[in-house]
mmCIF file with all atom_site columns, all heavy atoms in Angstrom:
data_model
loop_
_atom_site.group_PDB
_atom_site.id
_atom_site.type_symbol
_atom_site.label_atom_id
_atom_site.label_alt_id
_atom_site.label_comp_id
_atom_site.label_asym_id
_atom_site.label_entity_id
_atom_site.label_seq_id
_atom_site.pdbx_PDB_ins_code
_atom_site.Cartn_x
_atom_site.Cartn_y
_atom_site.Cartn_z
_atom_site.occupancy
_atom_site.B_iso_or_equiv
_atom_site.pdbx_formal_charge
_atom_site.auth_seq_id
_atom_site.auth_comp_id
_atom_site.auth_asym_id
_atom_site.auth_atom_id
_atom_site.pdbx_PDB_model_num
ATOM 1  N N   . THR W 1 9   ? 95.623  33.161 84.011  1.00 33.00 ? 9   THR W N   1
ATOM 2  C CA  . THR W 1 9   ? 94.399  32.863 84.729  1.00 33.00 ? 9   THR W CA  1
ATOM 3  C C   . THR W 1 9   ? 93.984  34.089 85.522  1.00 33.00 ? 9   THR W C   1
ATOM 4  O O   . THR W 1 9   ? 94.797  34.949 85.825  1.00 33.00 ? 9   THR W O   1
ATOM 5  C CB  . THR W 1 9   ? 94.583  31.691 85.715  1.00 33.00 ? 9   THR W CB  1
ATOM 6  O OG1 . THR W 1 9   ? 95.665  31.985 86.601  1.00 33.00 ? 9   THR W OG1 1
ATOM 7  C CG2 . THR W 1 9   ? 94.869  30.406 84.969  1.00 33.00 ? 9   THR W CG2 1
ATOM 8  N N   . ILE W 1 69  ? 109.875 45.651 105.069 1.00 97.00 ? 69  ILE W N   1
ATOM 9  C CA  . ILE W 1 69  ? 110.974 46.621 105.099 1.00 97.00 ? 69  ILE W CA  1
ATOM 10 C C   . ILE W 1 69  ? 112.084 46.115 104.183 1.00 97.00 ? 69  ILE W C   1
ATOM 11 O O   . ILE W 1 69  ? 112.519 44.962 104.287 1.00 97.00 ? 69  ILE W O   1
ATOM 12 C CB  . ILE W 1 69  ? 111.513 46.798 106.528 1.00 97.00 ? 69  ILE W CB  1
ATOM 13 C CG1 . ILE W 1 69  ? 110.448 47.438 107.414 1.00 97.00 ? 69  ILE W CG1 1
ATOM 14 C CG2 . ILE W 1 69  ? 112.769 47.676 106.525 1.00 97.00 ? 69  ILE W CG2 1
ATOM 15 C CD1 . ILE W 1 69  ? 110.843 47.543 108.877 1.00 97.00 ? 69  ILE W CD1 1
ATOM 16 N N   . SER W 1 76  ? 116.646 52.359 104.219 1.00 97.00 ? 76  SER W N   1
ATOM 17 C CA  . SER W 1 76  ? 115.536 51.458 104.511 1.00 97.00 ? 76  SER W CA  1
ATOM 18 C C   . SER W 1 76  ? 114.206 52.098 104.140 1.00 97.00 ? 76  SER W C   1
ATOM 19 O O   . SER W 1 76  ? 113.969 53.282 104.411 1.00 97.00 ? 76  SER W O   1
ATOM 20 C CB  . SER W 1 76  ? 115.526 51.087 105.997 1.00 97.00 ? 76  SER W CB  1
ATOM 21 O OG  . SER W 1 76  ? 116.664 50.310 106.330 1.00 97.00 ? 76  SER W OG  1
ATOM 22 N N   . TYR W 1 86  ? 84.588  45.266 97.637  1.00 94.00 ? 86  TYR W N   1
ATOM 23 C CA  . TYR W 1 86  ? 83.316  46.003 97.551  1.00 94.00 ? 86  TYR W CA  1
ATOM 24 C C   . TYR W 1 86  ? 82.426  45.562 98.717  1.00 94.00 ? 86  TYR W C   1
ATOM 25 O O   . TYR W 1 86  ? 82.292  44.366 98.992  1.00 94.00 ? 86  TYR W O   1
ATOM 26 C CB  . TYR W 1 86  ? 82.671  45.676 96.212  1.00 94.00 ? 86  TYR W CB  1
ATOM 27 C CG  . TYR W 1 86  ? 81.279  46.188 95.997  1.00 94.00 ? 86  TYR W CG  1
ATOM 28 C CD1 . TYR W 1 86  ? 81.052  47.489 95.552  1.00 94.00 ? 86  TYR W CD1 1
ATOM 29 C CD2 . TYR W 1 86  ? 80.178  45.351 96.188  1.00 94.00 ? 86  TYR W CD2 1
ATOM 30 C CE1 . TYR W 1 86  ? 79.759  47.945 95.306  1.00 94.00 ? 86  TYR W CE1 1
ATOM 31 C CE2 . TYR W 1 86  ? 78.887  45.797 95.947  1.00 94.00 ? 86  TYR W CE2 1
ATOM 32 C CZ  . TYR W 1 86  ? 78.686  47.093 95.513  1.00 94.00 ? 86  TYR W CZ  1
ATOM 33 O OH  . TYR W 1 86  ? 77.411  47.529 95.265  1.00 94.00 ? 86  TYR W OH  1
ATOM 34 N N   . GLU W 1 98  ? 84.213  46.582 90.828  1.00 92.00 ? 98  GLU W N   1
ATOM 35 C CA  . GLU W 1 98  ? 85.620  46.543 91.211  1.00 92.00 ? 98  GLU W CA  1
ATOM 36 C C   . GLU W 1 98  ? 85.799  46.538 92.723  1.00 92.00 ? 98  GLU W C   1
ATOM 37 O O   . GLU W 1 98  ? 84.934  46.996 93.471  1.00 92.00 ? 98  GLU W O   1
ATOM 38 C CB  . GLU W 1 98  ? 86.362  47.745 90.623  1.00 92.00 ? 98  GLU W CB  1
ATOM 39 C CG  . GLU W 1 98  ? 86.418  47.752 89.108  1.00 92.00 ? 98  GLU W CG  1
ATOM 40 C CD  . GLU W 1 98  ? 87.155  48.964 88.568  1.00 92.00 ? 98  GLU W CD  1
ATOM 41 O OE1 . GLU W 1 98  ? 86.800  50.083 88.982  1.00 92.00 ? 98  GLU W OE1 1
ATOM 42 O OE2 . GLU W 1 98  ? 88.064  48.790 87.747  1.00 92.00 ? 98  GLU W OE2 1
ATOM 43 N N   . LYS W 1 163 ? 99.289  43.069 82.751  1.00 91.00 ? 163 LYS W N   1
ATOM 44 C CA  . LYS W 1 163 ? 100.399 43.182 83.699  1.00 91.00 ? 163 LYS W CA  1
ATOM 45 C C   . LYS W 1 163 ? 100.634 44.647 84.070  1.00 91.00 ? 163 LYS W C   1
ATOM 46 O O   . LYS W 1 163 ? 100.562 45.526 83.224  1.00 91.00 ? 163 LYS W O   1
ATOM 47 C CB  . LYS W 1 163 ? 101.675 42.593 83.089  1.00 91.00 ? 163 LYS W CB  1
ATOM 48 C CG  . LYS W 1 163 ? 101.627 41.099 82.829  1.00 91.00 ? 163 LYS W CG  1
ATOM 49 C CD  . LYS W 1 163 ? 102.910 40.627 82.136  1.00 91.00 ? 163 LYS W CD  1
ATOM 50 C CE  . LYS W 1 163 ? 102.984 39.121 82.035  1.00 91.00 ? 163 LYS W CE  1
ATOM 51 N NZ  . LYS W 1 163 ? 101.910 38.542 81.198  1.00 91.00 ? 163 LYS W NZ  1
ATOM 52 N N   . ALA W 1 179 ? 100.845 46.546 80.482  1.00 80.00 ? 179 ALA W N   1
ATOM 53 C CA  . ALA W 1 179 ? 101.088 45.706 79.314  1.00 80.00 ? 179 ALA W CA  1
ATOM 54 C C   . ALA W 1 179 ? 100.320 46.204 78.099  1.00 80.00 ? 179 ALA W C   1
ATOM 55 O O   . ALA W 1 179 ? 99.152  46.571 78.194  1.00 80.00 ? 179 ALA W O   1
ATOM 56 C CB  . ALA W 1 179 ? 100.699 44.269 79.612  1.00 80.00 ? 179 ALA W CB  1
ATOM 57 N N   . GLY W 1 190 ? 84.215  29.229 71.487  1.00 54.00 ? 190 GLY W N   1
ATOM 58 C CA  . GLY W 1 190 ? 83.472  28.390 70.551  1.00 54.00 ? 190 GLY W CA  1
ATOM 59 C C   . GLY W 1 190 ? 83.718  28.688 69.091  1.00 54.00 ? 190 GLY W C   1
ATOM 60 O O   . GLY W 1 190 ? 83.266  27.950 68.223  1.00 54.00 ? 190 GLY W O   1
ATOM 61 N N   . SER W 1 195 ? 95.273  33.799 71.044  1.00 73.00 ? 195 SER W N   1
ATOM 62 C CA  . SER W 1 195 ? 95.829  34.072 72.369  1.00 73.00 ? 195 SER W CA  1
ATOM 63 C C   . SER W 1 195 ? 97.106  34.872 72.225  1.00 73.00 ? 195 SER W C   1
ATOM 64 O O   . SER W 1 195 ? 97.766  34.865 71.180  1.00 73.00 ? 195 SER W O   1
ATOM 65 C CB  . SER W 1 195 ? 96.115  32.771 73.122  1.00 73.00 ? 195 SER W CB  1
ATOM 66 O OG  . SER W 1 195 ? 97.174  32.048 72.505  1.00 73.00 ? 195 SER W OG  1
ATOM 67 N N   . LEU W 1 200 ? 107.707 38.955 81.200  1.00 93.00 ? 200 LEU W N   1
ATOM 68 C CA  . LEU W 1 200 ? 108.406 40.200 81.490  1.00 93.00 ? 200 LEU W CA  1
ATOM 69 C C   . LEU W 1 200 ? 109.635 39.894 82.330  1.00 93.00 ? 200 LEU W C   1
ATOM 70 O O   . LEU W 1 200 ? 109.546 39.185 83.328  1.00 93.00 ? 200 LEU W O   1
ATOM 71 C CB  . LEU W 1 200 ? 107.469 41.163 82.228  1.00 93.00 ? 200 LEU W CB  1
ATOM 72 C CG  . LEU W 1 200 ? 107.981 42.566 82.564  1.00 93.00 ? 200 LEU W CG  1
ATOM 73 C CD1 . LEU W 1 200 ? 106.810 43.543 82.618  1.00 93.00 ? 200 LEU W CD1 1
ATOM 74 C CD2 . LEU W 1 200 ? 108.730 42.603 83.896  1.00 93.00 ? 200 LEU W CD2 1
ATOM 75 N N   . LEU W 1 203 ? 115.707 43.666 83.688  1.00 98.00 ? 203 LEU W N   1
ATOM 76 C CA  . LEU W 1 203 ? 117.124 43.488 83.334  1.00 98.00 ? 203 LEU W CA  1
ATOM 77 C C   . LEU W 1 203 ? 118.005 44.173 84.374  1.00 98.00 ? 203 LEU W C   1
ATOM 78 O O   . LEU W 1 203 ? 118.644 45.195 84.123  1.00 98.00 ? 203 LEU W O   1
ATOM 79 C CB  . LEU W 1 203 ? 117.378 44.037 81.931  1.00 98.00 ? 203 LEU W CB  1
ATOM 80 C CG  . LEU W 1 203 ? 116.531 43.392 80.822  1.00 98.00 ? 203 LEU W CG  1
ATOM 81 C CD1 . LEU W 1 203 ? 116.816 44.057 79.472  1.00 98.00 ? 203 LEU W CD1 1
ATOM 82 C CD2 . LEU W 1 203 ? 116.798 41.894 80.736  1.00 98.00 ? 203 LEU W CD2 1
#
Side-chain angles (χ1 to χ4, degrees):
T9 55
I69 294 175
S76 294
Y86 172 84
E98 295 180 309
K163 295 176 172 64
S195 68
L200 183 151
L203 302 177

